[in-house]
Amino acid sequence: MARAKIKLVLDRDYQLTKVDNRIFGSFIEHLGRAVYDGIYQPGNPESDEQGFRKDVLQMVKELGVPIVRYPGGNFVSGFRWEDSVGPREQRPERLDLAWRSTESNQVGINEFSKWAKKADSSVMMAVNLGTRGIQDACNLLEYCNHPSGTKYSDLRVSHGDPDPYNIKVWCLGNEMDGPWQIGHKTMEEYGRLAAETAKAMKLIDPSIELVSCGSSSVEMPTFPQWEAHTLTETYDYVDYVSLHNYYGNRSQDSLDYLACSNDMDRFIRTVIATCDYVKAVKRGKKDINLSFDEWNVWFHSNAADDDIMQNHPWRHHPGLLEDVYNFEDALVVALLMITLLRHADRVRMACLAQLVNVIAPIMTEPDGGKAWKQTIYYPFMLTSRYGRGTVLVPSVHCTTHGTSSHEDVTDVESVAVYSGEQDELTIFAVNRTLDGDADLTADIRSFGDYRVLDHIVLENDDLKAVNSALEEKVAPAHTTQSRVENGELISLLHKASFNVIRLGK
Ligand code: AHR
């Protein structure tokens, strides 16, 4: 096979869009050990006076997560929010039908709003459109955002929070197209309900942004008719449509697995086309943008979860969806982030699903043990840290290969982000070939005398290497594989590696 090569021409004036930092969002659901044993564990020496784990908070802050979706997920479709506010001793224990768990409600809206502040983040709140509807969504919004002087705003005040939470982004239900969803709806049922809920919510607080439920995955039989139909109903009231998709090396074919970001790319393009079709039908002026509010690798834990869900009694926060990620999963997360950034003009928000213990970059050992970073922690952290700025439109020439289910797969995937504020250009690049190094060159003459500030690389000889509480096998390192000569960046990208090349003065 010929040596892999990518040639970029980057110009600081060829700009796609300024990145909305909410593209680096994440997700905490009342599921498994995400909340209890994850972010919240009173009595643990690592926890603060409110019971929040400080070690976990520190890792979340290092990741840089500007928005966190809450409280689900499938959980939200049976959620009774009033159970989760006010004096803790009065909160009821409930059955959570989505995850066959019992929910103590010791963490709820009040606590999560405080946790999000401590994590330097904001809340993306989902409302229950499964077992509940318009009135309940309005009550919750009034509780959270109305200053005072009404039943629900005064209830919040009486719960010790005089200032409104001012939650800006609200999801109109979760995966309502999925037959597994409690209160699953047809597109006709959901379209009307979502439109009327959205209309009422914007009457209460016109400053909020609303996300209409898109398909649960690209594989759903109703995709993309679901989007076309429901957005035609909700177009006037909503700002975003959601996308969800999880990836996995299910056939143990790593080369093909590393091409799965092409599937994400096609999914995004199809949803953009559908949004624009609806805009045309409605003779509309505004674009519906995309909130890719559940994305990640999820497949390692599937069999164990089925066992827990089917064969075990009801339990409080059983360990569910505890995928342990390997190095190739980290490469895939890097590839997916590059894909999201390349669509940053329309993908304005995205949530890595999820954040702690449940298909998560951050894990805590059971029984109050230490917190540790999974392999996927690092591509997220690096992209979130250095991917803030303006995505450039590059000219790209790249060699390609085929895989068992993908054609014309570029050997190297990349995106470049320019930060005028920092006076820095960062190139993110994954060499997704498994058998050879790649040469990257980039014409960066428009950046004057930029030089290499750093070349950070995530690589490992073993695609299946994992991290644990005891050992960190996959972590970024600094290399000297990049240099600038006469306005040209020349970099060596090792096989199967994620590279962050930072340039500046
Ligand atoms: O993130 C895990 C689950 O995946 C969520 O609860 C649901 O929305 C999706 O199917």
Side-chain angles (χ1 to χ4, degrees):
M1 212 166 95
R3 189 175 167 93
K5 278 190 176 48
I6 181 165
K7 184 173 172 6
L8 305 170
V9 180
L10 298 168
D11 190 301
R12 69 164 90 214
D13 289 331
Y14 293 173
Q15 305 190 345
L16 175 71
T17 187
K18 187 161 170 17
V19 175
D20 185 328
N21 289 342
R22 295 175 302 176
I23 208 169
F24 304 115
S26 188
F27 178 27
I28 292 270
E29 176 167 5
H30 282 253
L31 193 186
R33 299 191 306 119
V35 173
Y36 307 105
D37 275 15
I39 63 168
Y40 176 76
Q41 201 165 42
N44 189 307
E46 286 292 344
S47 295
D48 65 13
E49 64 297 342
Q50 289 172 320
F52 297 127
R53 280 191 62 154
K54 288 183 282 184
D55 50 352
V56 172
L57 269 170
Q58 185 51 37
M59 287 183 189
V60 174
K61 284 201 237 182
E62 259 175 57
L63 274 182
V65 180
I67 192 162
V68 184
R69 191 163 170 255
Y70 178 83
N74 296 339
F75 171 82
V76 80
S77 294
F79 181 50
R80 289 167 270 210
W81 68 267
E82 314 85 337
D83 292 348
S84 82
V85 295
R88 277 206 172 109
E89 62 286 0
Q90 288 168 24
R91 296 185 193 175
E93 184 93 21
R94 292 281 195 185
L95 293 180
D96 161 26
L97 308 188
W99 301 107
R100 202 183 155 71
S101 307
T102 55
E103 171 57 53
S104 66
N105 284 301
Q106 290 306 294
V107 172
I109 311 276
N110 305 142
E111 291 74 24
F112 195 74
S113 307
K114 294 182 178 68
W115 180 84
K117 265 206 188 110
K118 289 187 175 190
D120 299 334
S121 195
S122 60
V123 179
M124 175 192 286
M125 183 73 81
V127 300
N128 175 357
L129 291 190
T131 60
R132 289 189 158 186
I134 305 173
Q135 187 60 67
D136 181 63
C138 289
N139 295 348
L140 176 57
L141 175 59
E142 183 185 318
Y143 181 89
C144 291
N145 283 15
H146 197 70
S148 65
T150 63
K151 171 169 171 163
Y152 289 105
S153 57
D154 283 347
L155 185 63
R156 186 200 67 247
V157 175
S158 76
H159 292 158
D161 287 334
D163 295 329
Y165 300 145
N166 283 328
I167 296 174
K168 184 155 176 73
V169 183
W170 294 75
C171 302
L172 297 162
N174 175 70
E175 296 191 348
M176 298 310 303
D177 62 327
W180 59 86
Q181 200 68 214
I182 310 293
H184 162 229
K185 308 249 178 310
T186 63
M187 60 182 89
E188 290 78 15
E189 289 165 343
Y190 177 73
R192 293 292 307 129
L193 176 61
E196 291 303 319
T197 307
K199 186 170 86 186
M201 289 177 77
K202 284 215 166 159
L203 288 172
I204 294 174
D205 183 352
S207 74
I208 58 173
E209 294 188 318
L210 293 172
V211 186
S212 198
C213 260
S215 296
S216 302
S217 85
V218 73
E219 306 295 340
M220 296 302 287
T222 46
F223 175 74
Q225 294 93 324
W226 172 278
E227 281 74 2
H229 181 87
T230 58
L231 287 176
T232 304
E233 295 284 353
T234 59
Y235 179 83
D236 289 336
Y237 311 110
V238 305
D239 308 280
Y240 303 91
V241 63
S242 69
L243 293 81
H244 290 183
N245 217 76
Y246 293 96
Y247 303 85
N249 190 358
R250 296 189 178 84
S251 49
Q252 290 306 316
D253 177 345
S254 298
L255 194 65
D256 193 49
Y257 180 39
L258 293 174
C260 73
S261 58
N262 292 24
D263 304 332
M264 179 193 247
D265 182 75
R266 200 173 47 247
F267 184 22
I268 291 172
R269 285 177 198 279
T270 308
V271 175
I272 292 172
T274 310
C275 290
D276 292 350
Y277 161 78
V278 172
K279 179 183 174 188
V281 169
K282 303 293 276 188
R283 310 289 188 263
K285 286 201 166 54
K286 72 170 183 194
D287 284 335
I288 299 288
N289 284 321
L290 278 56
S291 171
F292 210 128
D293 48 44
E294 285 190 35
W295 69 270
N296 200 350
V297 171
W298 175 16
F299 75 109
H300 294 285
S301 66
N302 289 169
D305 294 334
D306 289 349
D307 177 53
I308 294 171
M309 295 275 290
Q310 285 155 21
N311 303 321
H312 288 262
W314 293 88
R315 274 188 287 167
H316 186 43
H317 62 75
L320 285 169
L321 282 62
E322 300 207 359
D323 281 42
V324 174
Y325 293 112
N326 59 31
F327 172 58
E328 67 183 7
D329 298 326
L331 289 178
V332 164
V333 164
L335 286 159
L336 297 174
M337 293 195 84
I338 287 172
T339 306
L340 290 168
L341 279 173
R342 283 216 303 245
H343 286 289
D345 55 334
R346 293 301 291 273
V347 179
R348 306 302 289 172
M349 300 190 289
C351 301
L352 174 73
Q354 298 192 9
L355 187 54
V356 184
N357 284 337
V358 169
I359 42 175
I362 300 169
M363 298 297 288
T364 64
E365 288 295 278
D367 303 321
K370 72 183 267 211
W372 55 278
K373 297 170 181 171
Q374 294 240 42
T375 61
I376 63 166
Y377 184 94
Y378 290 109
F380 190 95
M381 182 199 80
L382 291 168
T383 315
S384 167
R385 184 170 298 169
Y386 299 114
R388 296 174 188 227
T390 298
V391 174
L392 298 181
V393 183
S395 145
V396 187
H397 291 283
C398 189
T399 49
T400 60
H401 61 273
T403 71
S404 56
S405 66
H406 298 86
E407 287 171 9
D408 286 329
V409 179
T410 50
D411 292 338
V412 175
E413 277 289 87
S414 72
V415 68
V417 179
Y418 169 60
S419 164
E421 226 168 89
Q422 308 289 328
D423 203 2
E424 270 189 39
L425 170 68
T426 303
I427 299 171
F428 301 92
V430 174
N431 176 358
R432 56 176 159 178
T433 65
L434 300 177
D435 46 12
D437 296 343
D439 297 316
L440 178 146
T441 55
D443 178 338
I444 55 163
R445 280 174 296 173
S446 83
F447 294 90
D449 53 358
Y450 269 24
R451 61 187 177 83
V452 175
L453 300 178
D454 201 359
H455 180 157
I456 306 167
V457 67
L458 194 67
E459 60 186 337
N460 197 292
D461 289 338
D462 180 7
L463 289 174
K464 308 294 180 191
V466 298
N467 290 346
S468 71
L470 299 175
E471 194 180 10
E472 187 159 81
K473 288 189 180 156
V474 178
H478 300 275
T479 89
T480 51
Q481 290 159 213
S482 285
R483 64 184 196 278
V484 174
E485 274 175 21
N486 303 323
E488 186 179 51
L489 168 71
I490 302 164
S491 299
L492 177 71
L493 312 180
H494 286 158
K495 68 179 179 187
S497 67
F498 172 48
N499 302 266
V500 180
I501 304 162
R502 295 178 50 223
L503 301 138
K505 288 193 174 138

